[in-house]
């Protein structure tokens, strides 16, 4: 497994696959062909199907600015290596091709090319799965966060400190803002309203409303193209921060304790990224919000005193009960159902941690088992339900919205006719 620095990435929303990855690809390509007069970029599969709503064209053009860029859309063409693919072409003054490259945005802001797609990533962890990690930590009587420190070195805490600060900054910005999010849905920001309601709510409801407001703040900032931390992706960026902030406030933890929780959460995300997928275009939202819930459940369980086995159990439940979750963003925007899913997954993460803490830590289904199941479920899922906005809520809403528009136009025509 790679370093947690490759999992927790600070960047601009609304999508690690659709904005962070393509931006990185464009910037790398621009450095390779500085002599190019113009660029042509072809988006394939999920990148094309939801690229407009995810601001893919905008972020690619911004990365190449001031050079002119032509964007070609191929939503029905899926390249065999990954459903998120783009072809970059550098052109000279006469429009002749100077060079070309195909890049795959594989989730969490990570990109690969045909040359390195199957190359093993640089590994800093000697163990390949949760079972091996639990055996090792049991033999050496260490906690999971101590295992992360042993593998990554003490320098990981400086990086996670930067990550935690960025998460808090995102929440604070989101809580201060009101108004409507950009895009066709005219969706209103709700984080600040939930925070105000929490102040006058009974104690238990107040905590849940606080949790919701923190998760909504992150998700709404992401939807508006603001800076977020992938945990494990932009679309699921609100789950882990909201859980960590709520428990920090309840128990008055020092930041160092939260950093330990982020390390353990990151370990769960890293296992998912390595042994399954965190790409909504590849496995649906189970790989984004589902994995985020697993990460937050592990963090919560650790913060509340769980041992390694109970932490792994909490993570397993967090993902298991998101199995089969589709990625069906309405109108290609990371808003409906994405924003609400962050809030509800945060709540479920706390429930999973509580359940695991009450258990003896012995469960029939392991975290490794549920990761393998999640990957196979994603592969079996029709591509209409994997970030293409062609199925599920996206399809229903589009049909419903068209009917509403049609009825509105008919009503307006009748009114005009009656006036005459």
């Amino acid at each position: 497994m790679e370093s947690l620095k490759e999992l927790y990435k600070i960047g601009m929303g609304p999508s690690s696959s659709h904005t962070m990855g393509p931006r990185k690809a464009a910037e790398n390509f621009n450095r390779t062909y500085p002599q190019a007069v113009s660029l042509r970029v072809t988006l394939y599969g999920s990148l094309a199907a939801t690229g407009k709503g995810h601001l893919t064209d905008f972020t690619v053009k911004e990365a190449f600015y001031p050079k002119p860029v032509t964007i070609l859309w191929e939503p029905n063409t899926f390249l065999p290596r990954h459903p998120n693919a783009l072809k970059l072409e550098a052109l000279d003054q006469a429009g002749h091709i100077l060079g070309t490259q195909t890049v795959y945005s594989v989730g969490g802001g990570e990109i690969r090319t045909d040359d390195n797609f199957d190359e093993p990533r640089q590994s800093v962890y000697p163990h390949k799965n949760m079972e091996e990690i639990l055996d090792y930590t049991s033999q050496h009587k260490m906690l999971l966060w101590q295992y992360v420190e042993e593998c990554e070195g003490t320098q990981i805490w400086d990086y996670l400190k930067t990550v935690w600060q960025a998460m808090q900054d995102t929440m604070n910005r989101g809580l201060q803002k009101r108004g409507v999010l950009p895009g066709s849905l005219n969706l209103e920001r709700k984080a600040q309203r939930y925070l105000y309601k929490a102040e006058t709510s009974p104690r238990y409801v107040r905590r849940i409303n606080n949790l919701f407001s923190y998760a909504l703040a992150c998700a709404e900032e992401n939807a508006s193209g603001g800076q977020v931390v992938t945990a494990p992706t932009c679309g699921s960026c609100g789950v882990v921060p909201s859980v960590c902030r709520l428990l920090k406030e309840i128990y008055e933890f020092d930041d160092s304790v939260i950093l330990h929780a982020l390390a353990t959460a990151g370990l769960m995300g890293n296992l998912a990224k390595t042994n399954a997928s965190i790409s909504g275009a590849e496995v649906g939202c189970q790989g984004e919000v589902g994995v985020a819930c697993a990460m937050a459940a592990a963090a919560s369980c650790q913060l509340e005193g769980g041992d390694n086995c109970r932490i792994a159990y909490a993570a397993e439940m967090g993902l298991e009960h998101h199995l089969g979750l589709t990625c069906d963003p309405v109108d290609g925007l990371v808003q409906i159902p994405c924003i609400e899913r962050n809030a509800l997954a945060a709540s479920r993460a706390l429930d999973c941690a509580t359940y695991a803490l009450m258990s003896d830590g012995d469960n029939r289904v392991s975290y490794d088992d549920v990761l393998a199941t999640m990957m196979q479920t994603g592969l079996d899922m029709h591509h209409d339900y994997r970030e293409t906005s062609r199925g599920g809520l996206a399809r229903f809403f589009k049909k419903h919205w068209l009917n509403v528009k049609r009825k509105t136009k008919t009503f307006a025509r009748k009114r005009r006719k009656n006036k005459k």
Side-chain angles (χ1 to χ4, degrees):
M1 292 188 295
E2 295 177 284
S3 168
L4 296 188
K5 295 177 182 179
E6 298 301 315
L7 180 79
Y8 291 125
K9 295 180 180 177
I10 302 170
M12 309 304 289
S15 169
S16 47
S17 294
H18 285 64
T19 52
M20 290 178 64
R23 175 185 287 273
K24 183 178 180 181
E27 290 173 346
N28 291 346
F29 192 71
N30 204 26
R31 285 192 290 270
T32 303
Y33 295 97
Q35 72 275 30
V37 176
S38 63
L39 291 304
R40 183 165 60 224
V41 178
T42 305
L43 304 176
Y44 298 102
S46 296
L47 276 186
T50 55
K52 289 186 182 296
H54 285 53
L55 305 181
T56 306
D57 52 340
F58 173 81
T59 196
V60 167
K61 289 179 179 180
E62 190 176 59
F64 283 126
Y65 183 81
K67 297 177 181 177
V69 182
T70 300
I71 305 289
L72 302 178
W73 307 83
E74 295 288 345
N76 297 318
T77 303
F78 289 82
L79 301 192
R81 288 191 181 273
H82 198 277
N84 281 336
L86 63 159
K87 182 173 70 174
L88 304 158
E89 296 174 291
L91 309 176
D92 63 15
Q93 185 68 46
H96 299 140
I97 297 176
L98 299 172
T100 183
Q101 184 181 48
T102 299
V103 181
Y104 307 92
S105 184
V106 297
E110 185 175 345
I111 58 172
R112 297 178 190 173
T113 66
D114 286 321
D115 294 333
N116 65 14
F117 194 91
D118 296 319
E119 286 182 5
R121 305 290 99 181
Q122 183 179 4
S123 178
V124 300
Y125 291 87
H127 303 100
K128 299 178 182 178
N129 53 50
M130 193 75 249
E131 182 181 4
E132 292 181 4
I133 292 171
L134 288 176
D135 286 344
Y136 179 82
T137 53
S138 176
Q139 292 171 15
H140 293 79
K141 300 186 185 309
M142 63 170 56
L143 299 173
L144 291 173
W145 68 262
Q146 293 172 319
Y147 171 74
V148 171
E149 182 182 69
E150 181 181 277
C151 296
E152 298 263 7
T154 55
Q155 63 270 19
I156 191 60
W157 303 122
D158 287 335
Y159 184 77
L160 290 180
K161 184 177 181 180
T162 302
V163 164
W164 176 231
Q165 186 59 56
M167 287 177 168
Q168 293 178 92
D169 291 344
T170 300
M171 283 185 280
N172 291 334
R173 287 195 308 272
L175 290 169
Q176 292 169 5
K177 294 179 182 178
R178 298 185 65 179
V180 175
L181 292 169
S184 58
L185 300 180
N186 295 317
L187 197 66
E188 183 184 359
R189 286 178 178 262
K190 299 177 182 177
Q192 191 181 94
R193 187 198 313 164
Y194 272 76
L195 186 64
Y196 287 159
K197 286 185 177 181
E199 296 175 357
T200 58
S201 301
R203 184 177 180 182
Y204 173 75
V205 179
R206 184 187 316 146
R207 288 180 174 178
I208 292 298
N209 278 345
N210 278 335
L211 180 70
F212 288 162
S213 66
Y214 301 155
L216 292 173
C218 285
E220 288 169 358
E221 273 296 281
N222 177 65
S224 66
Q227 187 181 80
V228 298
V229 178
T230 57
T233 65
C234 288
S236 59
C237 67
V239 185
V240 172
S242 59
V243 168
C244 288
R245 176 166 173 168
L246 181 73
L247 294 179
K248 183 180 189 298
E249 292 174 348
I250 291 174
Y251 296 108
E252 299 181 349
F253 288 130
D254 290 336
D255 275 347
S256 60
V257 179
I258 300 300
L259 301 189
H260 294 164
L262 287 176
T264 298
L267 187 61
M268 301 302 168
N270 237 355
L271 285 167
K273 180 181 177 183
T274 303
N275 297 329
S277 175
I278 57 172
S279 170
E282 191 170 27
V283 295
C285 199
Q286 57 176 353
E288 297 197 42
V289 165
V291 172
C293 184
M295 293 169 64
S300 175
C301 191
Q302 177 173 296
L303 288 169
E304 297 191 271
D307 60 17
N308 291 353
C309 288
R310 288 179 174 83
I311 291 168
Y313 187 15
E316 181 275 323
M317 280 189 287
L319 180 54
E320 178 186 348
H321 299 292
H322 281 92
L323 287 177
L325 187 62
T326 59
C327 183
D328 47 358
V330 172
D331 212 20
L333 299 167
V334 193
Q335 297 180 16
I336 298 176
C338 320
I339 294 174
E340 282 182 357
R341 282 183 180 173
N342 276 259
L344 296 177
S347 177
R348 179 171 287 185
L350 293 180
D351 292 339
C352 292
T354 301
Y355 192 97
L357 286 166
M358 294 299 103
S359 76
D360 58 6
D362 183 24
N363 58 310
R364 297 292 181 89
V365 180
S366 71
Y367 188 58
D368 295 326
D369 291 336
V370 80
L371 283 177
T373 303
M374 185 262 282
M375 189 65 196
Q376 187 59 54
T377 302
L379 294 176
D380 292 341
M381 193 181 293
H382 193 279
H383 62 73
D384 281 0
Y385 299 95
R386 289 185 282 149
E387 209 170 7
T388 58
S389 285
R390 293 174 182 167
L393 283 173
R395 181 179 181 183
F396 171 82
F397 189 88
K398 183 177 182 179
K399 182 179 179 181
H400 172 73
W401 187 246
L402 287 173
N403 286 337
V404 170
K405 290 177 69 176
R406 193 177 297 113
K407 289 178 181 179
T408 302
K409 289 181 178 179
T410 302
F411 179 74
R413 282 198 301 270
K414 287 181 178 178
R415 286 194 62 184
R416 287 196 298 269
K417 186 176 180 181
N418 290 336
K419 284 183 179 181
K420 292 180 180 179

